[in-house]
Amino acid sequence: MPRFFCQTPLSVGALVDLPADIAHHAQVLRLQPGDAIQLFNGEGGCYVASLTVIEKKRASAEVKVFLQEENELPFSLNLAQALPEGSKMDWIIEKAVELGVSSIQPVAAQRSVVKLNAERAEKKLVHWEGVIRSASEQCGRNRLAHLAAPVDIGKWLQQQDMHPRIMLSPRAEQSLAEWARHHPPQAISLLIGPEGGLTEQEENLAMQQGVLPLSMGPRILRTETAGLTAIAILSAAWGGM
């Protein structure tokens, strides 16, 4: 059944005018009046609806059934990702959403190649929010991961979180997998460095702020691989797979 994110109040029995992008997508899929679709608005659960009108730039549907379905991890996971080069951030966000992250915090680190001014950051946020919606449609999640505005790593480290914060470091003596085996499922933040990794100064500052350094084993992973691998390790250890 085709799934669409519909940012509008939904309720059983309502007749909903669907956004133009959904109408276009329905046209591409050659859907017809009477066909069933699934709608979700990011607030939890989803709705089965029946198309009533399908035109080139207009579509509507009648909401039939509410399904109380959730496909979230059993723990909250925030990915603090240092800004990578090119379009890598799109791929990281897409896959992180598929793996179940609750929130994503873009971070400007010293070795981050990409530098975002206020205007570019705003455009990137709009684009990344679209990536989150599309990934959620594809993977069956009914809640959207929260996307925070990019922040300098120093400011992020100064935040006082009640839950553990972990940074992946090749210099760490304990592995993430070992740590996870000895701790119960809990809310957590993962700090991932950019290409070239976090600087020694950044790692020292992070540890001063209570961030725990953990390793991913003997191999050095790319920035676009490290965070996703860490999420998978935690999911396997804490029942999210």
Side-chain angles (χ1 to χ4, degrees):
M1 189 184 304
R3 275 173 50 85
F4 302 105
F5 173 73
C6 187
Q7 194 172 9
T8 187
L10 298 170
S11 60
V12 175
L15 188 63
V16 181
D17 289 325
L18 302 176
D21 61 328
I22 296 181
H24 174 72
H25 198 170
Q27 282 277 336
V28 172
L29 294 175
R30 299 183 182 277
L31 298 180
Q32 301 295 324
D35 286 348
I37 60 174
Q38 198 174 97
L39 301 174
F40 68 103
N41 58 10
E43 298 178 2
C46 61
Y47 297 80
V48 176
S50 177
L51 284 170
T52 55
V53 175
I54 177 69
E55 298 175 354
K56 188 173 182 180
K57 295 183 178 180
R58 176 175 169 265
S60 61
E62 183 180 359
V63 180
K64 298 290 189 180
V65 180
F66 174 69
L67 302 176
Q68 185 64 60
E69 296 179 350
E70 299 298 344
N71 295 305
E72 301 302 301
L73 292 177
F75 56 95
S76 176
L77 199 159
N78 173 53
L79 177 64
Q81 172 67 54
L83 292 167
E85 63 182 356
S87 61
K88 289 180 182 178
M89 193 65 171
D90 289 16
W91 193 85
I92 292 170
I93 290 175
E94 178 184 82
K95 302 310 174 189
V97 169
E98 291 177 18
L99 289 171
V101 298
S102 308
S103 57
I104 300 165
Q105 172 65 73
V107 173
Q110 290 184 32
R111 290 175 176 158
S112 290
V113 176
V114 173
K115 307 297 181 183
L116 299 178
N117 57 29
E119 182 178 357
R120 287 192 65 201
E122 184 63 31
K123 291 180 179 178
K124 283 291 186 181
L125 284 172
V126 172
H127 174 72
W128 290 333
E129 285 170 350
V131 173
I132 291 173
R133 290 193 296 269
S134 295
S136 300
E137 288 177 346
Q138 183 275 322
C139 73
R141 291 183 65 180
N142 293 320
R143 295 184 182 274
L144 298 182
H146 173 72
L147 177 64
V151 65
D152 182 78
I153 189 171
K155 291 183 179 179
W156 185 81
L157 290 173
Q158 290 171 5
Q159 297 174 3
Q160 298 299 316
D161 290 335
M162 297 299 293
H163 57 265
R165 293 189 294 175
I166 290 171
M167 68 175 172
L168 301 184
S169 170
R171 291 178 285 277
E173 297 181 356
Q174 185 181 22
S175 73
L176 175 65
E178 180 185 5
W179 181 88
R181 283 195 298 269
H182 293 88
H183 290 79
Q186 58 192 289
I188 194 170
S189 286
L190 282 173
L191 173 61
I192 310 299
E195 295 89 350
L198 297 172
T199 65
E200 183 176 353
Q201 178 186 11
E202 288 171 329
E203 289 200 356
N204 289 338
L205 178 60
M207 288 186 285
Q208 291 170 13
Q209 295 294 332
V211 179
L212 177 65
L214 295 174
S215 77
M216 295 286 289
R219 291 169 298 281
I220 305 298
L221 303 182
R222 293 178 180 272
T223 184
E224 65 268 31
T225 308
L228 304 180
T229 304
I231 296 167
I233 288 173
L234 291 171
S235 296
W238 289 349
M241 290 300 214

